[in-house]
């Protein structure tokens, strides 16, 4: 018996990194999973997940004995997001858990951020979360049950030089999630936020073949009171699991998985 037997979870950015770890963690507790990923190309310094990655993760999830629906979806596209939620409800019979995890990063001092970089960040990290929440809420309201977790970042808890545009999106989703939490609190739906510090995923690019991270990541690591370079995706999945198995008493909260990085701030 798993804690999530019979539940249906929808995870954006589920093909790799934290989204993949979340899919495996929820599947290990018995949830059937829909994975949305493989977006249209973007102009970034690192590649995004492909449909092949999406199918490979779906296969790994199914090996845990649950159903998995891989759906090629770009969260920037509202129609595609609506269709993905409909396909999930049709294919898996409902929608109990939503993990709004898809995101991209780009760095740079603000006066060098291009319009294109700004739009990519806003359209994916902020508008993409709006699209998925708007599509999922009517289904959850009808069921009178829902557990929604939005992935922000420790960048949504503080200022960090060269991450102003990214951090604006990550502060933004916290305001969005807290406001929606109030709107749906009487409907059996909780909405919470997780804020990981630097996570060991393809988003955090090593500078050289020895895996030495770039200067910005190294600077963030040095600021961590717990002296380890980064956390693993599974560290974040444990926080997710806590929030989605909560009986319905925790909502509008922000859970930091931060290596102590905000301990000096508040
Ligand atoms: N890696 C870190 O250090 C770190 C720290 C804090 C927060 N985060 C956040 O965690 C989340 C997961 O990132 P990750 O670390 O697993 O990195 P990742 O790059 O491995 O995973 C992000 C996934 O989102 C997908 N994605 C990106 N844009 C998309 C779009 N428009 N539509 C659909 N899918 C899209 C990518 O293809 C990828 O599979 C992101 O929101 C990120 O901002 C990351």
């Amino acid at each position: 018996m798993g804690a999530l037997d019979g539940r249906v979870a929808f995870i954006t950015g589920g093909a790799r990194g934290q989204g993949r770890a979340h899919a495996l963690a929820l599947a290990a507790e018995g949830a059937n999973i829909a994975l949305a990923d493989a977006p249209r190309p973007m102009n970034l310094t690192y590649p995004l997940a492909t449909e092949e990655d999406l199918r490979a993760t779906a296969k790994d999830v199914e090996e845990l004995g649950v159903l998995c629906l891989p759906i090629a979806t770009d969260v920037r596209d509202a129609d595609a997001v609506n269709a993905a939620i409909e396909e999930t409800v049709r294919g898996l019979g409902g929608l109990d858990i939503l993990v709004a995890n898809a995101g991209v990063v780009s760095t740079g001092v603000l006066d060098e951020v291009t319009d294109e970089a700004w739009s990519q960040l806003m359209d994916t990290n902020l508008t993409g979360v709006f699209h998925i929440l708007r599509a999922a809420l009517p289904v959850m309201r009808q069921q009178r049950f829902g557990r929604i977790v939005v992935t922000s970042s420790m960048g949504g808890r503080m200022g960090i030089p060269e991450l102003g545009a990214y951090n604006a999106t990550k502060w933004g989703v916290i305001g969005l999630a807290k406001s929606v939490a109030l709107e749906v609190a009487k409907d059996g739906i909780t909405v919470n936020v997780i804020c990981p510090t630097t996570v060991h995923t393809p988003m955090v690019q090593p500078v050289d073949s020895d895996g030495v991270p770039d200067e910005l990541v190294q600077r963030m690591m040095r600021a961590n009171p717990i002296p380890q370079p980064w956390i693993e995706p599974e560290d974040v999945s444990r926080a997710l699991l806590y929030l989605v198995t909560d009986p319905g008493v925790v909502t509008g909260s922000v859970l930091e998985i931060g290596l102590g990085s905000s301990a000096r701030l508040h």
Side-chain angles (χ1 to χ4, degrees):
M1 273 276 290
L4 298 172
D5 278 345
R7 295 289 188 201
V8 174
F10 186 104
I11 304 171
T12 68
R16 73 173 195 206
Q18 294 173 62
R20 178 178 183 280
H22 297 340
L24 293 169
L26 301 189
E29 290 297 336
N32 295 316
I33 308 285
L35 296 175
D37 205 318
R40 292 190 310 274
M42 285 186 226
N43 186 9
L44 296 164
T45 57
Y46 62 100
L48 295 170
T50 62
E51 289 200 37
E52 203 183 335
D53 297 325
L54 190 54
R55 282 193 298 271
T57 298
K59 193 164 165 285
D60 293 343
V61 170
E62 280 180 336
E63 278 170 12
L64 295 173
V66 300
L67 301 172
C68 189
L69 202 54
I71 312 174
T73 316
D74 191 316
V75 298
R76 295 171 294 175
D77 179 342
D79 291 339
V81 167
N82 292 339
I85 292 291
E86 279 169 27
E87 188 179 337
T88 301
V89 174
R90 227 181 14 254
L92 299 178
L95 176 62
D96 305 300
I97 296 166
L98 172 66
V99 188
N101 159 81
V104 292
V105 73
S106 56
T107 59
V109 290
L110 197 73
D111 48 328
E112 289 173 11
V113 172
T114 63
D115 289 343
E116 183 189 34
W118 177 267
S119 299
Q120 285 179 165
L121 287 165
M122 292 296 152
D123 293 352
T124 296
N125 298 6
L126 186 54
T127 307
V129 175
F130 159 60
H131 287 157
I132 195 74
L133 291 181
R134 184 177 60 181
L137 283 169
V139 182
M140 292 182 167
R141 255 206 201 94
Q142 204 176 15
Q143 294 177 172
R144 298 201 65 75
F145 181 88
R147 295 285 175 269
I148 297 175
V149 179
V150 175
T151 304
S152 173
S153 165
M154 286 310 293
R157 306 300 275 163
M158 61 183 76
I160 303 173
E162 297 171 44
L163 276 172
Y166 177 79
N167 284 7
T169 68
K170 294 302 186 180
W171 281 82
V173 292
I174 293 176
L176 178 64
K178 280 180 175 282
S179 302
V180 175
L182 296 172
E183 291 176 7
V184 299
K186 290 193 176 69
D187 299 321
I189 304 169
T190 64
V191 188
N192 292 290
V193 180
I194 47 178
C195 289
T197 185
T198 310
V199 192
H200 194 192
T201 69
M203 179 182 278
V204 181
Q205 289 305 291
V207 138
D208 56 28
S209 53
D210 296 332
V212 177
D214 70 17
E215 198 277 328
L216 176 62
V217 172
Q218 289 193 44
R219 183 152 36 90
M220 290 173 65
M221 289 173 182
R222 282 195 294 273
N224 290 335
I226 296 175
Q228 69 181 62
W230 39 36
I231 58 174
E232 295 299 328
E234 293 73 20
D235 295 321
V236 187
S237 300
R238 278 194 299 281
L240 174 75
L241 206 55
Y242 162 66
L243 291 169
V244 302
T245 55
D246 173 73
V249 295
V250 178
T251 197
S253 77
V254 179
L255 180 49
E256 297 176 358
I257 310 103
L259 293 174
S261 49
S262 75
R264 292 188 187 93
L265 295 181
H266 315 287

